[in-house]
Amino acid sequence: MSADSALTLVSATRTFDGWLKRYKHRSQVLNCDMVFAIYLPPQADTAAVPVLWWLSGLTCTDENFSQKAGAHRVAAELGIALVCPDTSPRGLELPGEHDSYDFGSGAGFYVNATQAPWNRHYRMYDYVNEELPQLVREHFPVNGREAISGHSMGGHGALVLALRNPGRFTSVSAFAPIVAPSQCPWGEKALAGYLGSDRESWKAYDACELIAQGDSKQALFIDQGDADNFLQEQLKPELLEQACWKHKHPLVLRRQPGYDHSYFFIASFIEEHLRYHAGYLFETHR
Amino acid sequence: MSADSALTLVSATRTFDGWLKRYKHRSQVLNCDMVFAIYLPPQADTAAVPVLWWLSGLTCTDENFSQKAGAHRVAAELGIALVCPDTSPRGLELPGEHDSYDFGSGAGFYVNATQAPWNRHYRMYDYVNEELPQLVREHFPVNGREAISGHSMGGHGALVLALRNPGRFTSVSAFAPIVAPSQCPWGEKALAGYLGSDRESWKAYDACELIAQGDSKQALFIDQGDADNFLQEQLKPELLEQACWKHKHPLVLRRQPGYDHSYFFIASFIEEHLRYHAGYLFETHR
């Protein structure tokens, strides 16, 4: 193990006969120290297991999903490791970085920034797509099969990573994702800030645009609460439905009556998502 | 409904096809405004349901259990309402009230204080034993069958309420409870502060003492992590084992290997506790 890939254990907590472990490491991509969480199910004691990547939403760290989603129970049953990255670089003091909840710290949007001063650190796309997966493969008993999911900004991240990397993930799902960041206030603020005003450069981080480009035909599995405060202004699932219909992209989008944008919504349906991913992660005939 | 028992809805969140509702009300017992949470399972839409009282530990509010225990799923399956009181009076500025995590706000210890200035407000025993149950029965579709559980300071509260009120609860369980507050630093600080230095007055709030008094023979079901940081200094389950053995009080105390004091421990075993209580709450032959 090189010094560059060293992990420092932050905490280890027994949960559902597995271990939730949090690690600190120096990210070369982000030029800062980062913390991530991995849930290792009991099966990982004796065998290599598949991984579900979980990308969190605005203001979250690696901790929210672990504490609130109730996912460990099903992951322990199925034998799936859960990896939760943080949502932005940390420990920096860039100008304005901590001023708003929807830009800068806690709001990396899973893009590689091109605009100063963000471009030296805010490269969350490469971090979650390359650097952190490499670290996980080096340090943990994983078998190379990986699925991805996420919530809101993290749902956007999951869709973008999957659509841009056909074959990389066995399966992709999302909870209340930002499906068209080029067409909503959260996304426009973030993409303009990190990538600049040329909207052409935004397309690589916009699920609806990627559907139109058509590089991937991987099925999308999405749950969306119909009492979500952000539904009409920010999330706009109808734009994804239209793009998928137009470009014949397979989509299951479920509107869940009465559910909001909170982790209570995620907790209510995470079991179905984990079992959906298990169907692909453990598929024997590919 | 009298003005005194009015409830103001703070929030309503859909979770596992039921509703998590938080209410504010004026407590006559505590002389302040309080918030509590109730999870109403889907069965409550059409029938009266039994209640599990959950008493939380130091520093908690009504929210921790709802967010982190993963209990709604099983409560929704079984048809049990969950009521989560706060852990102390709120909104006050008594001298020193907010200075430490283990006394004053967030640390009511489920006692009726007799010492000034606490005695005007810190009457959490009566609040959780009488005032709040009465409110719940007035306002929600509950059937009068009630069980009780809790964590740490709240485990102490659950044991004390059950042992002092034989027949009141169908069943009682606890996670990592303070079983002998008269014999540990947390309890000695709280009981001395709220009740004064006469240790005789502490006995009514000490599970081991209540076992010795023998008014109740209700079975106790307890889980305790053996990697709990507070095990030896504060929790001392061996004292409860000795008291139960000496006084022939039925006890199931499970030491769970590797588990700590966190909500991850609670989440890992809450399903077994809920199913344990369901066995009593839905018992047809009494």
PDB file of all heavy atoms in Angstrom, chain B residues 54-72:
ATOM      1  N   TRP B  54     -41.852   4.977  24.011  1.00  0.00           N
ATOM      2  CA  TRP B  54     -40.392   4.932  23.909  1.00  0.00           C
ATOM      3  C   TRP B  54     -39.805   6.112  24.668  1.00  0.00           C
ATOM      4  O   TRP B  54     -40.098   7.271  24.353  1.00  0.00           O
ATOM      5  CB  TRP B  54     -39.937   5.009  22.445  1.00  0.00           C
ATOM      6  CG  TRP B  54     -38.435   5.088  22.405  1.00  0.00           C
ATOM      7  CD1 TRP B  54     -37.671   6.219  22.335  1.00  0.00           C
ATOM      8  CD2 TRP B  54     -37.512   3.994  22.475  1.00  0.00           C
ATOM      9  NE1 TRP B  54     -36.339   5.897  22.369  1.00  0.00           N
ATOM     10  CE2 TRP B  54     -36.217   4.541  22.456  1.00  0.00           C
ATOM     11  CE3 TRP B  54     -37.658   2.608  22.566  1.00  0.00           C
ATOM     12  CZ2 TRP B  54     -35.066   3.744  22.514  1.00  0.00           C
ATOM     13  CZ3 TRP B  54     -36.514   1.819  22.622  1.00  0.00           C
ATOM     14  CH2 TRP B  54     -35.239   2.381  22.587  1.00  0.00           C
ATOM     15  N   LEU B  55     -38.986   5.803  25.670  1.00  0.00           N
ATOM     16  CA  LEU B  55     -38.323   6.853  26.444  1.00  0.00           C
ATOM     17  C   LEU B  55     -36.851   6.925  26.023  1.00  0.00           C
ATOM     18  O   LEU B  55     -36.134   5.922  26.066  1.00  0.00           O
ATOM     19  CB  LEU B  55     -38.439   6.557  27.940  1.00  0.00           C
ATOM     20  CG  LEU B  55     -39.869   6.395  28.472  1.00  0.00           C
ATOM     21  CD1 LEU B  55     -39.846   6.235  29.995  1.00  0.00           C
ATOM     22  CD2 LEU B  55     -40.749   7.575  28.071  1.00  0.00           C
ATOM     23  N   SER B  56     -36.427   8.113  25.620  1.00  0.00           N
ATOM     24  CA  SER B  56     -35.085   8.282  25.072  1.00  0.00           C
ATOM     25  C   SER B  56     -34.065   8.608  26.152  1.00  0.00           C
ATOM     26  O   SER B  56     -34.406   8.869  27.308  1.00  0.00           O
ATOM     27  CB  SER B  56     -35.091   9.384  24.015  1.00  0.00           C
ATOM     28  OG  SER B  56     -35.708   8.929  22.837  1.00  0.00           O
ATOM     29  N   GLY B  57     -32.799   8.606  25.729  1.00  0.00           N
ATOM     30  CA  GLY B  57     -31.689   8.802  26.650  1.00  0.00           C
ATOM     31  C   GLY B  57     -31.194  10.241  26.697  1.00  0.00           C
ATOM     32  O   GLY B  57     -31.766  11.146  26.075  1.00  0.00           O
ATOM     33  N   LEU B  58     -30.131  10.435  27.439  1.00  0.00           N
ATOM     34  CA  LEU B  58     -29.524  11.751  27.642  1.00  0.00           C
ATOM     35  C   LEU B  58     -29.286  12.468  26.315  1.00  0.00           C
ATOM     36  O   LEU B  58     -28.824  11.861  25.353  1.00  0.00           O
ATOM     37  CB  LEU B  58     -28.182  11.596  28.364  1.00  0.00           C
ATOM     38  CG  LEU B  58     -28.254  11.166  29.844  1.00  0.00           C
ATOM     39  CD1 LEU B  58     -26.869  10.768  30.332  1.00  0.00           C
ATOM     40  CD2 LEU B  58     -28.822  12.295  30.692  1.00  0.00           C
ATOM     41  N   THR B  59     -29.581  13.744  26.293  1.00  0.00           N
ATOM     42  CA  THR B  59     -29.364  14.670  25.166  1.00  0.00           C
ATOM     43  C   THR B  59     -30.402  14.515  24.046  1.00  0.00           C
ATOM     44  O   THR B  59     -30.432  15.327  23.138  1.00  0.00           O
ATOM     45  CB  THR B  59     -27.959  14.552  24.519  1.00  0.00           C
ATOM     46  OG1 THR B  59     -27.910  13.402  23.683  1.00  0.00           O
ATOM     47  CG2 THR B  59     -26.856  14.507  25.575  1.00  0.00           C
ATOM     48  N   CYS B  60     -31.239  13.484  24.101  1.00  0.00           N
ATOM     49  CA  CYS B  60     -32.195  13.264  23.009  1.00  0.00           C
ATOM     50  C   CYS B  60     -33.413  14.183  23.136  1.00  0.00           C
ATOM     51  O   CYS B  60     -33.711  14.719  24.202  1.00  0.00           O
ATOM     52  CB  CYS B  60     -32.667  11.810  22.997  1.00  0.00           C
ATOM     53  SG  CYS B  60     -31.401  10.660  22.423  1.00  0.00           S
ATOM     54  N   THR B  61     -34.111  14.309  22.012  1.00  0.00           N
ATOM     55  CA  THR B  61     -35.435  14.916  21.980  1.00  0.00           C
ATOM     56  C   THR B  61     -36.413  13.835  21.520  1.00  0.00           C
ATOM     57  O   THR B  61     -36.063  12.648  21.478  1.00  0.00           O
ATOM     58  CB  THR B  61     -35.494  16.103  21.005  1.00  0.00           C
ATOM     59  OG1 THR B  61     -35.378  15.601  19.676  1.00  0.00           O
ATOM     60  CG2 THR B  61     -34.368  17.098  21.294  1.00  0.00           C
ATOM     61  N   ASP B  62     -37.616  14.247  21.132  1.00  0.00           N
ATOM     62  CA  ASP B  62     -38.558  13.278  20.569  1.00  0.00           C
ATOM     63  C   ASP B  62     -38.095  12.737  19.225  1.00  0.00           C
ATOM     64  O   ASP B  62     -38.676  11.772  18.718  1.00  0.00           O
ATOM     65  CB  ASP B  62     -39.923  13.936  20.367  1.00  0.00           C
ATOM     66  CG  ASP B  62     -39.872  14.999  19.276  1.00  0.00           C
ATOM     67  OD1 ASP B  62     -39.300  16.085  19.517  1.00  0.00           O
ATOM     68  OD2 ASP B  62     -40.375  14.729  18.179  1.00  0.00           O
ATOM     69  N   GLU B  63     -37.053  13.337  18.617  1.00  0.00           N
ATOM     70  CA  GLU B  63     -36.741  13.025  17.217  1.00  0.00           C
ATOM     71  C   GLU B  63     -35.774  11.863  17.005  1.00  0.00           C
ATOM     72  O   GLU B  63     -35.829  11.183  15.982  1.00  0.00           O
ATOM     73  CB  GLU B  63     -36.158  14.269  16.528  1.00  0.00           C
ATOM     74  CG  GLU B  63     -37.161  15.410  16.428  1.00  0.00           C
ATOM     75  CD  GLU B  63     -36.734  16.444  15.403  1.00  0.00           C
ATOM     76  OE1 GLU B  63     -35.830  17.242  15.717  1.00  0.00           O
ATOM     77  OE2 GLU B  63     -37.300  16.448  14.296  1.00  0.00           O
ATOM     78  N   ASN B  64     -34.847  11.654  17.948  1.00  0.00           N
ATOM     79  CA  ASN B  64     -33.775  10.691  17.677  1.00  0.00           C
ATOM     80  C   ASN B  64     -34.293   9.303  17.332  1.00  0.00           C
ATOM     81  O   ASN B  64     -33.849   8.681  16.363  1.00  0.00           O
ATOM     82  CB  ASN B  64     -32.848  10.594  18.892  1.00  0.00           C
ATOM     83  CG  ASN B  64     -32.297  11.932  19.294  1.00  0.00           C
ATOM     84  OD1 ASN B  64     -33.058  12.787  19.736  1.00  0.00           O
ATOM     85  ND2 ASN B  64     -31.009  12.149  19.151  1.00  0.00           N
ATOM     86  N   PHE B  65     -35.205   8.804  18.152  1.00  0.00           N
ATOM     87  CA  PHE B  65     -35.711   7.451  17.917  1.00  0.00           C
ATOM     88  C   PHE B  65     -36.407   7.362  16.566  1.00  0.00           C
ATOM     89  O   PHE B  65     -36.199   6.405  15.806  1.00  0.00           O
ATOM     90  CB  PHE B  65     -36.662   7.049  19.036  1.00  0.00           C
ATOM     91  CG  PHE B  65     -37.214   5.664  18.913  1.00  0.00           C
ATOM     92  CD1 PHE B  65     -36.446   4.562  19.235  1.00  0.00           C
ATOM     93  CD2 PHE B  65     -38.518   5.453  18.465  1.00  0.00           C
ATOM     94  CE1 PHE B  65     -36.947   3.266  19.126  1.00  0.00           C
ATOM     95  CE2 PHE B  65     -39.030   4.164  18.351  1.00  0.00           C
ATOM     96  CZ  PHE B  65     -38.246   3.074  18.678  1.00  0.00           C
ATOM     97  N   SER B  66     -37.228   8.365  16.258  1.00  0.00           N
ATOM     98  CA  SER B  66     -37.957   8.339  14.988  1.00  0.00           C
ATOM     99  C   SER B  66     -37.007   8.298  13.796  1.00  0.00           C
ATOM    100  O   SER B  66     -37.246   7.594  12.819  1.00  0.00           O
ATOM    101  CB  SER B  66     -38.857   9.576  14.859  1.00  0.00           C
ATOM    102  OG  SER B  66     -39.807   9.616  15.908  1.00  0.00           O
ATOM    103  N   GLN B  67     -35.917   9.045  13.892  1.00  0.00           N
ATOM    104  CA  GLN B  67     -35.014   9.160  12.749  1.00  0.00           C
ATOM    105  C   GLN B  67     -34.049   7.988  12.623  1.00  0.00           C
ATOM    106  O   GLN B  67     -33.631   7.638  11.516  1.00  0.00           O
ATOM    107  CB  GLN B  67     -34.204  10.461  12.850  1.00  0.00           C
ATOM    108  CG  GLN B  67     -35.053  11.714  12.712  1.00  0.00           C
ATOM    109  CD  GLN B  67     -34.246  12.998  12.862  1.00  0.00           C
ATOM    110  OE1 GLN B  67     -33.084  12.979  13.292  1.00  0.00           O
ATOM    111  NE2 GLN B  67     -34.848  14.120  12.518  1.00  0.00           N
ATOM    112  N   LYS B  68     -33.649   7.412  13.751  1.00  0.00           N
ATOM    113  CA  LYS B  68     -32.493   6.510  13.708  1.00  0.00           C
ATOM    114  C   LYS B  68     -32.773   5.048  14.059  1.00  0.00           C
ATOM    115  O   LYS B  68     -31.930   4.200  13.825  1.00  0.00           O
ATOM    116  CB  LYS B  68     -31.413   7.031  14.661  1.00  0.00           C
ATOM    117  CG  LYS B  68     -30.853   8.378  14.245  1.00  0.00           C
ATOM    118  CD  LYS B  68     -29.727   8.807  15.185  1.00  0.00           C
ATOM    119  CE  LYS B  68     -29.051  10.080  14.683  1.00  0.00           C
ATOM    120  NZ  LYS B  68     -27.966  10.508  15.591  1.00  0.00           N
ATOM    121  N   ALA B  69     -33.905   4.747  14.664  1.00  0.00           N
ATOM    122  CA  ALA B  69     -34.096   3.378  15.159  1.00  0.00           C
ATOM    123  C   ALA B  69     -34.635   2.428  14.098  1.00  0.00           C
ATOM    124  O   ALA B  69     -34.558   1.210  14.270  1.00  0.00           O
ATOM    125  CB  ALA B  69     -35.033   3.382  16.365  1.00  0.00           C
ATOM    126  N   GLY B  70     -35.178   2.965  13.013  1.00  0.00           N
ATOM    127  CA  GLY B  70     -35.736   2.078  12.000  1.00  0.00           C
ATOM    128  C   GLY B  70     -36.941   1.301  12.504  1.00  0.00           C
ATOM    129  O   GLY B  70     -37.202   0.178  12.050  1.00  0.00           O
ATOM    130  N   ALA B  71     -37.709   1.877  13.413  1.00  0.00           N
ATOM    131  CA  ALA B  71     -38.811   1.142  14.045  1.00  0.00           C
ATOM    132  C   ALA B  71     -40.118   1.223  13.271  1.00  0.00           C
ATOM    133  O   ALA B  71     -41.007   0.384  13.471  1.00  0.00           O
ATOM    134  CB  ALA B  71     -39.034   1.670  15.461  1.00  0.00           C
ATOM    135  N   HIS B  72     -40.260   2.206  12.397  1.00  0.00           N
ATOM    136  CA  HIS B  72     -41.547   2.407  11.734  1.00  0.00           C
ATOM    137  C   HIS B  72     -41.932   1.207  10.870  1.00  0.00           C
ATOM    138  O   HIS B  72     -43.103   0.860  10.771  1.00  0.00           O
ATOM    139  CB  HIS B  72     -41.508   3.672  10.876  1.00  0.00           C
ATOM    140  CG  HIS B  72     -41.264   4.920  11.679  1.00  0.00           C
ATOM    141  ND1 HIS B  72     -40.842   6.102  11.133  1.00  0.00           N
ATOM    142  CD2 HIS B  72     -41.367   5.160  13.018  1.00  0.00           C
ATOM    143  CE1 HIS B  72     -40.713   7.019  12.081  1.00  0.00           C
ATOM    144  NE2 HIS B  72     -41.016   6.473  13.227  1.00  0.00           N
TER     145      HIS B  72
END
